[in-house]
């Protein structure tokens, strides 16, 4: 499902790119996509392996442990850094993220279907709960089906951003900023009902990463100008 999600996301992005009238050009766009992919690959494994520092320190093979652990939070953060670095090298200042928003949402949703079916055998399950939404995911406990929570949130975010896109006139990049702020805020809260290793001030590595990204995008959004479509 992770592979299918990436495939469908890239096909969706390619479709949107064909219709894009404000294209950076084939070569520049390809370089940005490559930078995003490399940044996402590195970021996902670094943040994923730092999620449980004790396990990393005790691992027989550190490189193998890092390779086997990843997280979408680190992937998005690393992809962001990769794109910004490539744009700086290319001397480009215009935003390039809006076209990636809906393909990213679709890709993450499909990937989370795989996380749900994997149950407790992959680090994307919730804490035990007595609430009506609790489900048996492979052990003796009813747990929060956090993968389903995330899918539901992403479906709502997809619809909300499509509505926003049709109702308002805004500068390039705002849609991506809203997506990142919304998703990282949701993940920061969701991780309170997931097993996690506390790193600092009662929060985990993933939550610390989320806070850094949230603060960054709040700073970017503070001077945003919107105009309602007639």
């Amino acid at each position: 499902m992770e592979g299918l999600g990436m495939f469908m996301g890239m096909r969706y992005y390619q479709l949107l790119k064909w219709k894009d009238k404000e294209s950076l050009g084939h070569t520049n766009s390809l370089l940005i996509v490559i930078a995003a992919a490399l940044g996402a690959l590195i970021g996902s494994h670094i943040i994923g392996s730092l999620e449980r520092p004790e396990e990393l320190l005790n691992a027989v093979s550190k490189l193998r442990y890092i390779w086997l652990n990843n997280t979408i939070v680190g992937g998005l953060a690393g992809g962001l850094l990769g794109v910004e670095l490539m744009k700086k090298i290319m001397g480009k200042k215009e935003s390039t993220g809006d076209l990636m928003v809906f393909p990213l949402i679709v890709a993450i949703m499909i990937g989370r279907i795989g996380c749900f079916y994997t149950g407790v055998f992959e680090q994307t399950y919730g804490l035990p709960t007595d609430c009506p939404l609790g489900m048996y995911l492979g052990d003796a406990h009813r747990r929060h089906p956090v993968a389903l929570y995330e899918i539901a949130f992403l479906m709502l975010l997809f619809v909300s951003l499509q509505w926003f896109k049709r109702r308002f006139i805004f500068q390039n990049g705002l849609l991506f900023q809203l997506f990142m702020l919304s998703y990282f805020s949701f993940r920061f809260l969701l991780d309170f009902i997931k097993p996690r290793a506390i790193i600092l001030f009662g929060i985990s590595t993933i939550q610390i990463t989320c806070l850094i990204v949230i603060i960054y995008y709040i700073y970017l959004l503070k001077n945003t100008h919107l105009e309602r479509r007639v």
Side-chain angles (χ1 to χ4, degrees):
M1 296 306 294
E2 189 176 76
L4 178 62
M6 289 188 287
F7 175 81
M8 295 300 294
M10 287 303 296
R11 298 288 74 77
Y12 191 0
Y13 175 76
Q14 186 178 38
L15 175 63
L16 295 177
K17 196 65 183 173
W18 282 339
K19 299 178 180 179
D20 181 27
K21 297 179 181 179
E22 303 295 332
S23 177
L24 285 171
H26 177 73
T27 301
N28 288 342
S29 296
L30 181 60
L31 287 173
I32 286 173
V33 169
I34 291 172
L38 287 175
L41 179 66
I42 296 170
S44 67
H45 288 288
I46 289 177
I47 300 299
S49 60
L50 291 175
E51 190 176 357
R52 293 171 295 278
E54 187 176 344
E55 290 185 12
L56 174 60
L57 291 174
N58 293 331
V60 175
S61 172
K62 303 290 191 298
L63 288 178
R64 185 173 184 273
Y65 183 87
I66 291 171
W67 179 251
L68 291 176
N69 286 271
N70 58 77
T71 171
I72 187 62
V73 166
L76 289 173
L80 172 65
L81 289 174
V83 168
E84 293 303 319
L85 179 60
M86 179 57 70
K87 284 165 59 179
K88 191 172 184 65
I89 294 171
M90 294 164 54
K92 301 291 184 180
K93 293 184 178 180
E94 61 266 39
S95 177
T96 56
D98 283 359
L99 285 180
M100 297 182 181
V101 169
F102 299 111
L104 275 172
I105 293 176
V106 169
I108 297 171
M109 280 196 294
I110 295 173
R112 286 305 184 213
I113 295 172
C115 293
F116 172 68
Y117 280 118
T118 308
V120 296
F121 301 100
E122 205 263 349
Q123 298 291 330
T124 51
Y125 54 89
L127 293 172
T129 180
D130 293 325
C131 82
L133 295 175
M135 300 178 67
Y136 290 107
L137 299 175
D139 60 8
H141 303 286
R142 289 169 57 91
R143 296 180 176 275
H144 285 289
V146 291
L148 296 186
Y149 296 167
E150 188 166 335
I151 291 170
F153 169 78
L154 289 169
M155 292 174 65
L156 178 61
L157 184 60
F158 187 99
V159 172
S160 299
L161 292 179
Q162 287 283 5
W163 175 88
F164 179 85
K165 183 180 176 182
R166 290 178 172 84
R167 293 295 189 276
F168 294 94
I169 299 171
F170 49 87
Q171 72 268 27
N172 288 338
L174 179 60
L175 205 64
F176 186 76
Q177 292 168 13
L178 291 174
F179 161 71
M180 292 289 276
L181 181 60
S182 301
Y183 183 75
F184 278 83
S185 297
F186 172 78
R187 279 303 307 269
F188 175 79
L189 296 174
L190 186 69
D191 273 43
F192 282 112
I193 57 171
K194 294 175 64 177
R196 59 203 172 100
I198 302 301
I199 302 298
L200 187 67
F201 301 125
I203 56 178
S204 65
T205 300
I206 286 180
Q207 289 175 305
I208 292 171
T209 305
C210 288
L211 278 180
I212 293 171
V213 175
I214 289 168
I215 292 169
Y216 173 70
Y217 278 107
I218 289 176
Y219 171 78
L220 289 183
L221 287 167
K222 67 179 182 179
N223 295 320
T224 297
H225 175 73
L226 290 178
E227 184 178 340
R228 194 174 184 89
R229 295 185 187 274
V230 178

